[in-house]
Amino acid sequence: GGVGGLRGGGGRVGRGDAWLGGGAIALPGGALSHVRLGVAGRTPFLALKAAAYLDRGERKDVYDVVHVLRHWPGGPRTAAVRFRESPVADAPFVRLALDRLDRDFASRNHVAPRVYAPFMTMAGAAGYSEALRDDALLVWSRFWDSLDAPLC
């Protein structure tokens, strides 16, 4: 646990690869306000989720990483290609967070697949713990192995 050297880098990474949007919103009482907001792109999202998982150890964070990679248009291998195209892909925060997460995906018995399976079991996939661990590991491995080179 603990992100140690990761603290503080997430905000800069999120702003370095973001979608900007905005519009009018209705406030309580009916008043309108115009807002602008940035939403982290997928590369910083993955790094921020990895850092969150390393910091707090929540099953949902691993689920979110696997879910994003699985449902990325083109799948985990395409996610790796798009990941490398991000302007923040080589930022130290991103590199460290994903490298540390990869260590937790080293095998089906390492912590990331093991915390993913119970989360999915709570979501209605009871009785498939080993298959769920294998599935999470496969999704992560397809992403990680498709990166051009190790991040660290």
Side-chain angles (χ1 to χ4, degrees):
V3 293
L6 296 178
R7 282 198 205 289
R12 289 185 299 279
V13 165
R15 287 188 298 275
D17 180 0
W19 302 315
L20 298 177
I25 62 165
L27 299 173
L32 295 178
S33 179
H34 187 77
V35 297
R36 283 185 45 101
L37 51 107
V39 178
R42 290 179 178 160
T43 294
F45 176 82
L46 288 172
L48 292 166
K49 272 297 176 178
Y53 159 71
L54 293 166
D55 188 40
R56 49 185 198 202
E58 294 289 329
R59 297 173 182 167
K60 172 107 170 56
D61 296 320
V62 173
Y63 166 81
D64 288 343
V65 167
V66 172
H67 180 82
V68 166
L69 294 175
R70 176 192 324 279
H71 295 288
W72 198 299
R77 291 184 176 115
T78 301
V81 172
R82 299 294 175 254
F83 181 93
R84 280 287 184 200
E85 293 171 351
S86 169
V88 300
D90 290 321
F93 175 89
V94 173
R95 294 168 48 156
L96 184 58
L98 291 186
D99 184 60
R100 289 183 59 196
L101 181 59
D102 181 58
R103 286 182 257 162
D104 279 0
F105 270 107
S107 77
R108 70 191 307 247
N109 290 315
H110 276 73
V111 70
R114 290 184 74 93
V115 299
Y116 172 82
F119 183 84
M120 290 300 295
T121 300
M122 292 185 320
Y128 299 100
S129 182
E130 289 184 14
L132 290 167
R133 289 193 326 232
D134 289 343
D135 181 61
L137 181 60
L138 178 65
V139 169
W140 175 259
S141 296
R142 284 184 175 162
F143 167 74
W144 189 255
D145 294 346
S146 296
L147 292 171
D148 292 337
L151 295 174
C152 288

